[in-house]
Structure formats: C-alpha cells, structure tokens
Amino acid sequence: MRTLSGGIDVEALTAHEVVDLVLERLHPRVALACSFQKEGSVLLDMILTREPRARVFTLDTHLLFPETYRFWAETERRYGIEIEVHSGPSLGRQAATHGDALWRRDPELCCSIRKVAPLARALGGLDGWITGVRRDQSATRAGTPKVGWDDRHELWKASPLADWSDEDVWAYIRERDLPVNPLHERGYASLGCTHCTRPGEGREGRWAGTAKTECGLHV
Ligand code: SF4
C-alpha cells in the first residue's frame, strides 16, 4: 500500500501538521489548487507561512467573477507570489468549436474543457496537490481523506481542511485577519463561474436548478 506518512496516522494530524508533512515530503513537486474561496485564503496563509516559495496554481475558465480576478491580483501582491495559471479555451474558440452558451446546453462538457482538462495539465509533473475540499461540503465529499493517493491523476492529494467546518474556516480567517473574496460577504458561500453560480448556502448556489453538483475536479 502506498504511504506518504511513514506510518503516521494522518487522520489524527491537524491541518497545519498535514501541510507540514506534505511540504516536507513533496515540495517543490506539490502545489496548492486555489480557486480564491475562503478555504483558499486559509491554505494560502498556512502554506506560504511555512514555505514562501510553495507553488500555487489556479484554473482560469475565462468565466470567473470580476471580484475573483481582482482578489487573485490582490493575493499575488499580498504574498509576493506569481500564481501558475492553467486555462480553458478562449470564449471565441469554444464558440467556434462547440457553439454558444455551452455552459447552458452541456455543463458537463463545459466543465470538462474549462476545468478538468486544465487541471490535468496543472498536475502534470507534480507528485502531489493540495485542495480546500471539506467533508461537510456535500455527500460526495464526505469520504475525503486528509491525504490519499489520487488514482485518476496518479499523485498524492492532500485536503488539510477535510474535517473543518464552515465555522472553523471563518474562525481562522478572523484570527489571522485574512482577506477573503468579497463575494462571500454578498451571500455566495461557494464560488465558481459567473454563468453557473448564484448566492446560496453551502454548494446550493452551484449549477442551481440542475442535477449537476460537481465540476469533476474532485470526483
Ligand atoms: S462552472 Fe459553468 S461556466 Fe464554469 S466551466 Fe463549469 S459549466 Fe462552464
């Protein structure tokens, strides 16, 4: 059985200890996947405090909120980092290939070309990635391990906040006086693309009114 921990019970570790373990074993071949949500604010602080040269990447769908693009730029300034970017096709190229409003006609294909394919490129050459996934976000995330082997992408996947609640996240942000994406204050608990995200608790604002609940990055 594959193990990153050398016999340590990873599930008993705190979020900081998981970050320490992953950076110690995998840096610089590990990167944080950041989508500029509140969990990202927490992990950026934890990771960059521990290792200022830690790698961070984001997936640019070209359909993020203006607030998210501004918060992205502010984050780079605050930490003095350059976030690695992996993008889907331009809107024009997508329209030429798949027609207009793909997000409405076929959101699975839209996420596949704008998120899932760029993620595969982002993970190429890495030995591990770090995510802000939490178990209480949805039933599909309930079994998320703090560190596990990602069979689909063939590398380690760490979710240091797996056992955190929403309140734990906000308490850390208050304690560390961290900046957060202003969309959270406007009722968006979970953030995605402009076309598919509405204000709402938990993940209820994502693809609201459709059966879709995940973009395919974590399932
Ligand atoms: S979240 Fe919506 S707009 Fe963004 S990639 Fe997925 S379907 Fe397309």
Side-chain angles (χ1 to χ4, degrees):
M1 186 175 145
R2 291 173 192 272
T3 175
L4 185 69
S5 60
I8 300 167
D9 177 7
V10 176
E11 287 301 321
L13 299 181
T14 65
H16 273 110
E17 289 168 342
V18 172
V19 165
D20 284 350
L21 172 75
V22 170
L23 290 176
E24 183 190 307
R25 304 284 159 92
L26 299 179
H27 175 73
R29 292 177 61 83
V30 62
L32 169 66
C34 182
S35 55
F36 307 103
Q37 307 193 59
K38 58 187 184 299
E39 291 81 5
S41 292
V42 170
L43 288 170
L44 281 163
D45 178 76
M46 281 186 184
I47 291 169
L48 293 170
T49 301
R50 163 77 160 70
E51 173 50 74
R53 289 163 303 163
R55 293 172 62 181
V56 182
F57 73 84
T58 195
L59 307 177
D60 186 2
T61 62
H62 303 298
L63 291 165
L64 304 178
F65 285 83
E67 290 87 343
T68 299
Y69 285 112
R70 282 197 290 275
F71 187 64
W72 171 353
E74 283 167 25
T75 299
E76 290 187 321
R77 277 197 298 276
R78 175 186 173 94
Y79 291 105
I81 59 171
E82 188 169 341
I83 293 173
E84 299 168 29
V85 189
H86 297 272
S87 305
S90 68
L91 297 183
R93 207 169 102 225
Q94 179 196 273
T97 312
H98 299 286
D100 284 328
L102 184 61
W103 42 86
R104 195 160 46 238
R105 286 188 293 102
D106 192 342
E108 291 301 336
L109 178 60
C110 189
C111 275
S112 167
I113 65 175
R114 297 200 168 281
K115 292 187 167 186
V116 177
L119 176 69
R121 291 196 295 275
L123 299 183
L126 292 179
D127 292 335
W129 61 309
I130 304 171
T131 83
V133 170
R134 293 188 292 113
R135 291 172 190 153
D136 72 356
Q137 287 170 324
S138 68
T140 53
R141 299 181 176 200
T144 302
K146 292 188 179 178
V147 179
W149 181 251
D150 178 344
D151 277 324
R152 181 154 56 122
H153 300 105
E154 300 192 314
L155 78 176
W156 293 103
K157 181 176 181 180
S159 302
L161 309 183
D163 60 354
W164 282 35
S165 66
D166 222 44
E167 182 46 41
D168 291 333
V169 173
W170 285 115
Y172 186 93
I173 285 168
R174 284 194 298 272
E175 182 191 316
R176 298 281 294 162
D177 196 20
L178 299 178
V180 290
N181 191 317
L183 290 167
H184 286 311
E185 287 152 21
R186 290 178 19 211
Y188 293 80
S190 179
L191 306 178
C193 298
T194 51
H195 295 62
C196 307
T197 312
R198 302 279 175 272
E201 294 298 317
R203 290 178 60 79
E204 70 183 14
R206 306 293 297 277
W207 307 283
T210 78
K212 185 171 166 65
T213 58
E214 292 279 352
C215 50
L217 301 183
H218 301 295
V219 290

